[in-house]
Amino acid sequence: MADIKVALVGNPNTGKSTVFNLLTGLNQKIGNFPGITVDKKTGFCKLPDTRTAEIVDLPGTYSLYPKSKDESIVFQVLADRNNNSHPDLIVVIADATNLRRNLLLYAQVADLGLPTLLVLNMADMAKKEGIAVDVDKLANRLGIQVVQMAARNNEGVELLKDAIANSTRISTQNYSINVNSFAPEAINAIKQKLNTANDYYALQVLHQHEHLANFTTKEQSEIEEIERKFNFDSSKLQGEETVARYRHLGTILDGVVTDTGAAKKFANTDKLDSILTHKVWGFAIFLLLLFIIFNAIFAWASYPMDLIDAGFGSLTEMGHEYLPAGMLTDLFLDGVVAGLGGIVIFIPQIAILFAFISILEDTGYMARVTFMMDKVMSKVGLNGKSVVPMIGGLACAVPSIMAARNIESWKDRMITIMVTPLVSCSARLPVYILIISLIIPEGTVFGIFNTQGLALMAMYLVGMVGAVLVAWIMKFLIKAKERSYFIMELPVYRMPRWNNVFFTVVEKSKTFVFEAGKVIIAISIILWVMASFGPGDRFENIENKYAAALADTTKNTQHIESLISSEKLENSYVGILGHWIEPSIRPLGYDWKIGIALITSFAAREAFVGTMATIYSVDGGDEDTDTIRERMLSSINSRTGLPVYTFATGISLMLFYAFAMQCMSTVAIVYRETKSWKWPIIQLVYMTAMAYFAALIAYQLLK
Amino acid sequence: MKLSQLNPGQKGTIVSFTDAEMSVKLMEMGCLPGEVVEVERLAPLGDPMAIRVAGYQLCLRKSEASVIIIQS
């Protein structure tokens, strides 16, 4: 449906995603590039001439030579004409405050010979820092359209749309360096072999053909044959090319950029860095920020959550009042609506968490956290860059494990993937919140800290410490294939772009509702069915058993009815399953009802709360507005006659959820990222064992 | 002299690299022979280090900085 395909390319931290958001608005979707697992962000944009442009946002990279798996997609999309994201036009986004380094990527991309235009983003910041760019001169020298933008302030987006509309299908850029001279024989051999006229394409193929999926095994070995024949030295030639390109860029930019503010450019960032990466204050501020985030998740989110809770409560009540009574109504209200309520209620917390993460990334603070933590992280076998997946793991392990692709070292990346699911994700949050509210009395410590907030923070620390310990052990078990890197830009501090924060929050909440939601609704329905039916004539027998008592009008029938429903639940399919696993979980302090929740949670942790809602609303018999919390609190273990949710059971249960691999999506993503079943199976086994023993020890000590 | 031997506040000019593979990555990031580098600060635990090069701030581990030969 698009008239023109446009690819956005640029260094990290250039505001590429802001430009993408400005062009496409909320009209964007996330998909996959076929064959690999990098997220593909596409969106549509109406051009001034009424044509529609399809915009693809490619991952940020400093060069076309991939240093990680994430970056290899950029060359694949731009070079392979058969790739279905192959663009008609490349838009290179460059940071105007650091033009020379940004233009290295432009020069490489331009030499591939596709129509290209250049965006000088952050023009306002450049101006403020005393950097003046002669745009016309630059456009002339490069032979392309150059657009100035300040995407953060929404400036220049119309100019960019005009430029896209004005672009031709024929490339106009001036070629820069003499690419052929680096390895003439090998390049000519490849050109002949692949039937291409582009020297740079041929050179890139020589450098990175092993990353390219579009060649057959036969072609791959033929390319390798050419490399051997002409002694193609990849590292040396990449170095020579980079030096030559920078030299050329020096002449291009001569007289184009005048920098009068180099000295004051970093004044603010320097001042902030001396505090934020300080030996004492740096760590103190980081911890304080984490605490503020958790406090916010607990305190701020409670208002919208109460509203949602009350809303779904009255919806169910009204439904039972006005809808015709029967099995379908019960399925709809107690299965579907109850399950839906269980999902929607966590949107406020997920939104707050992602708002914070996205603000920390956007301001440049996250890079400093990486910088501060690298020494510690590398001690336990991780990498400073593991901090982002691990902090992201606070939200969800699935995107975080995908984010681990930015770690170049294979060993560091594997360990990060293996331990990220131990970090307490948002799916554990509902479980923690429910249990904490049951076993920790509300109050304050030192007059300011909420006890329940502290308990929640403790659970997050438990997850983090577990992750660090396991990483440290794995450091000795996994053999390295290559060395670990840590060469990274520290961007200047900036105010967060509220637009981007908003887009991230919407995108992540949507992902949660639709991805986790599907599983939760499905489980809610299956569970309702399993809880409402039993094998053979068990249900009938129960009804017969109590028939006489019910007929006796002198007795209180309400009590008998609730006896019937609880006996029915115990004899339903789900009750039987819960009973079946009870002996193995009794040492952890759990009864068969918790057993049911553990079973459903193996699909997704957040199913715990939904399961509890279903079990206790079925159990309770009458359709009152009692919250799950109150029902759980008053539940009594039929074996011991004591409350089920004691302090010991609660702690044991939270530890189990902290360590267990109860997420099918994570298992799937680990398989996809490691390309073997070995890693997800190891992960599933070690995490389940860790969860069981931690819960066992905690319960036995505390009971 | 190696870049890793400089203290915060000290400057030097890049002369060469002792590791070809690492040098590609470093040069792409703007650490070219002839560029002036200044050590800005060390991370709180002494490693990695933040340097000013090519008009921006870059951080790298000391082990990585030790492949950069400089002249002060």
Side-chain angles (χ1 to χ4, degrees):
Chain A
M1 65 181 266
D3 304 300
I4 176 172
K5 276 189 178 177
V6 179
L8 299 188
V9 177
N11 287 9
N13 308 309
T14 49
K16 194 162 60 67
S17 45
T18 315
V19 173
F20 178 74
N21 288 340
L22 276 182
L23 285 175
T24 61
L26 275 172
N27 184 12
Q28 44 180 269
K29 61 170 198 274
I30 296 187
N32 285 308
F33 290 108
I36 52 162
T37 52
V38 180
D39 272 344
K40 174 182 169 185
K41 275 170 82 179
T42 45
F44 292 93
C45 165
K46 268 259 167 286
L47 296 179
D49 57 7
T50 72
R51 284 186 301 166
T52 305
E54 184 188 316
I55 318 280
V56 180
D57 189 18
L58 293 174
T61 177
Y62 292 100
S63 123
L64 281 184
Y65 294 114
K67 296 294 175 292
S68 72
K69 218 178 142 201
D70 227 4
E71 295 175 1
S72 70
I73 187 62
V74 179
F75 179 69
Q76 287 189 44
V77 167
L78 300 186
D80 178 11
R81 283 177 201 285
N82 298 320
N83 191 304
N84 69 355
S85 304
H86 187 72
D88 303 311
L89 171 71
I90 305 173
V91 173
V92 180
I93 319 280
D95 172 357
T97 66
N98 190 355
L99 205 46
R100 197 167 68 119
R101 200 203 64 212
N102 275 263
L103 286 187
L104 176 72
L105 178 64
Y106 162 77
Q108 294 179 331
V109 167
D111 280 357
L112 288 175
L114 290 173
T116 305
L117 73 83
L118 179 68
V119 170
L120 297 184
N121 196 16
M122 309 190 189
D124 54 331
M125 302 224 345
K127 204 170 159 192
K128 221 161 73 187
E129 286 166 8
I131 299 169
V133 183
D134 187 335
V135 180
D136 294 337
K137 209 185 232 174
L138 182 62
N140 261 328
R141 286 188 185 171
L142 297 176
I144 52 161
Q145 300 185 78
V146 178
V147 179
Q148 269 194 309
M149 281 185 81
R152 297 158 55 83
N153 307 333
N154 298 350
E155 284 166 27
V157 65
E158 295 310 321
L159 290 175
L160 175 58
K161 284 181 186 173
D162 285 338
I164 293 173
N166 291 338
S167 68
T168 57
R169 296 254 165 168
I170 302 154
S171 51
T172 58
Q173 64 262 37
N174 303 325
Y175 286 86
S176 51
I177 56 172
N178 182 0
V179 169
N180 194 279
S181 67
F182 292 113
E185 297 101 334
I187 289 177
N188 291 337
I190 293 284
K191 277 166 75 178
Q192 202 172 3
K193 160 117 214 33
L194 300 178
N195 195 18
T196 171
N198 189 305
D199 284 322
Y200 195 54
Y201 174 67
L203 180 64
Q204 282 283 355
V205 166
L206 281 161
H207 279 305
Q208 52 170 318
H209 57 90
E210 54 271 60
H211 293 293
L212 303 177
N214 52 322
F215 293 127
T216 61
T217 325
K218 185 167 162 278
E219 285 175 313
Q220 291 280 15
S221 62
E222 282 169 355
I223 296 168
E224 266 155 45
E225 181 56 40
I226 292 172
E227 279 187 88
R228 263 194 304 276
K229 193 170 157 196
F230 299 109
N231 287 324
F232 187 82
D233 183 344
S234 191
S235 283
K236 185 171 150 271
L237 289 174
Q238 283 183 33
E240 283 176 10
E241 184 196 324
T242 307
V243 171
R245 287 200 186 280
Y246 270 119
R247 195 176 303 134
H248 176 72
L249 288 174
T251 59
I252 291 274
L253 291 179
D254 184 46
V256 167
V257 176
T258 34
D259 187 347
T260 53
K264 66 171 184 187
K265 181 173 169 186
F266 295 100
N268 285 333
T269 292
D270 273 347
K271 254 184 253 162
L272 279 168
D273 266 340
S274 63
I275 302 165
L276 293 177
T277 65
H278 185 266
K279 276 188 177 72
V280 179
W281 301 121
F283 290 111
I285 290 168
F286 181 48
L287 275 181
L288 185 74
L289 271 172
L290 283 183
F291 184 75
I292 290 173
I293 294 172
F294 297 132
N295 217 44
I297 290 171
F298 230 100
W300 303 352
S302 66
Y303 303 103
M305 285 173 77
D306 288 346
L307 279 177
I308 294 168
D309 199 21
F312 273 91
S314 53
L315 197 68
T316 310
E317 205 176 339
M318 264 167 53
H320 277 291
E321 206 168 307
Y322 293 110
L323 289 177
M327 206 176 73
L328 270 180
T329 304
D330 285 352
L331 170 66
F332 177 68
L333 291 174
D334 299 329
V336 180
V337 174
L340 205 61
I343 301 159
V344 174
I345 198 158
F346 298 111
I347 291 177
Q349 287 172 328
I350 284 163
I352 290 175
L353 184 64
F354 273 107
F356 274 107
I357 287 181
S358 128
I359 290 169
L360 293 187
E361 264 181 359
D362 225 31
T363 48
Y365 181 72
M366 206 65 112
R368 269 67 185 191
V369 173
T370 307
F371 174 65
M372 284 197 291
M373 302 299 281
D374 182 64
K375 180 89 182 269
V376 185
M377 302 296 268
S378 58
K379 277 248 159 63
V380 298
L382 295 166
N383 181 303
K385 288 186 183 166
S386 311
V387 170
V388 176
M390 300 220 357
I391 290 183
L394 290 170
C396 178
V398 174
S400 307
I401 284 170
M402 290 165 71
R405 234 178 270 144
N406 288 331
I407 303 169
E408 290 92 346
S409 148
W410 176 83
K411 180 177 171 174
D412 294 0
R413 179 163 166 247
M414 275 312 141
I415 298 179
T416 307
I417 289 175
M418 291 304 275
V419 303
T420 296
L422 286 173
V423 177
S424 289
C425 66
S426 56
R428 288 179 178 98
L429 192 56
V431 182
Y432 291 160
I433 291 172
L434 183 61
I435 299 171
I436 286 174
S437 70
L438 288 173
I439 63 165
I440 309 280
E442 211 167 324
T444 53
V445 179
F446 304 127
I448 41 167
F449 299 121
N450 178 300
T451 44
Q452 295 186 338
L454 282 176
L456 182 68
M457 189 174 169
M459 284 317 297
Y460 275 86
L461 283 178
V462 162
M464 284 283 183
V465 169
V468 165
L469 277 178
V470 173
W472 183 73
I473 293 166
M474 286 193 171
K475 180 183 162 187
F476 298 103
L477 298 179
I478 298 178
K479 297 276 171 285
K481 281 185 180 168
E482 72 227 24
R483 60 182 156 191
S484 128
Y485 268 118
F486 190 75
I487 301 173
M488 190 188 72
E489 179 178 0
L490 292 175
V492 291
Y493 289 104
R494 297 192 193 114
M495 282 304 284
R497 289 157 286 190
W498 301 109
N499 264 10
N500 281 7
V501 175
F502 173 75
F503 279 109
T504 309
V505 166
V506 171
E507 186 191 300
K508 301 294 173 184
S509 308
K510 244 165 74 180
T511 311
F512 174 77
V513 171
F514 291 110
E515 293 309 311
K518 276 188 288 201
V519 181
I520 298 170
I521 292 276
I523 288 175
S524 300
I525 293 172
I526 292 170
L527 205 75
W528 181 85
V529 171
M530 283 177 70
S532 307
F533 300 95
D537 51 3
R538 286 190 188 202
F539 275 33
E540 234 169 276
N541 289 344
I542 295 165
E543 272 164 22
N544 291 341
K545 186 172 135 197
Y546 288 101
L550 268 179
D552 185 351
T553 45
T554 58
K555 284 185 182 161
N556 183 358
T557 54
Q558 208 183 340
H559 173 65
I560 294 164
E561 264 166 19
S562 91
L563 271 181
I564 293 177
S565 49
S566 91
E567 209 166 307
K568 271 187 179 172
L569 181 61
E570 219 176 326
N571 284 288
S572 68
Y573 289 107
V574 80
I576 292 165
L577 206 58
H579 277 294
W580 185 68
I581 66 159
E582 199 181 11
S584 63
I585 56 171
R586 202 176 298 133
L588 313 184
Y590 310 157
D591 65 359
W592 57 274
K593 287 182 188 172
I594 299 179
I596 296 169
L598 292 188
I599 293 166
T600 56
S601 293
F602 266 97
R605 297 177 180 94
E606 55 272 46
F608 176 83
V609 179
T611 306
M612 285 296 164
T614 311
I615 290 175
Y616 283 94
S617 94
V618 174
D619 192 355
D622 53 289
E623 309 299 337
D624 53 35
T625 52
D626 263 12
T627 62
I628 322 164
R629 199 184 83 85
E630 280 158 6
R631 288 187 182 177
M632 286 173 72
L633 205 53
S634 59
S635 69
I636 300 290
N637 188 323
S638 51
R639 192 177 298 272
T640 58
L642 295 169
V644 177
Y645 296 94
T646 60
F647 185 70
T649 308
I651 297 291
S652 156
L653 199 51
M654 285 203 288
L655 284 174
F656 190 90
Y657 273 83
F659 296 136
M661 171 59 122
Q662 295 164 301
C663 179
M664 292 192 302
S665 322
T666 305
V667 175
I669 203 80
V670 172
Y671 167 69
R672 202 165 69 142
E673 292 293 295
T674 60
K675 299 263 185 275
S676 96
W677 279 113
K678 180 181 153 194
W679 298 106
I681 288 169
I682 293 175
Q683 196 172 33
L684 185 66
V685 170
Y686 98 75
M687 287 179 68
T688 309
M690 198 170 157
Y692 188 87
F693 289 109
L696 179 70
I697 293 165
Y699 181 71
Q700 296 301 334
L701 288 178
L702 292 169
K703 73 169 177 181
Chain B
M1 197 181 190
K2 294 168 179 171
L3 174 61
S4 52
Q5 293 166 321
L6 290 188
N7 292 318
Q10 291 185 318
K11 279 184 195 176
T13 307
I14 299 177
V15 180
S16 61
F17 304 93
T18 57
D19 181 313
E21 199 190 325
M22 194 95 83
S23 74
V24 174
K25 173 82 178 165
L26 287 165
M27 285 196 284
E28 281 173 2
M29 302 294 285
C31 298
L32 294 162
E35 281 291 320
V36 174
V37 286
E38 180 184 351
V39 176
E40 290 272 303
R41 58 176 48 83
L42 301 178
L45 302 170
D47 191 19
M49 64 203 301
I51 61 169
R52 166 80 37 83
V53 66
Y56 78 110
Q57 213 182 161
L58 181 74
C59 74
L60 71 175
R61 288 188 184 144
K62 280 190 167 171
S63 60
E64 289 153 352
S66 72
V67 312
I68 304 177
I69 304 295
I70 52 151
Q71 205 169 39
S72 48

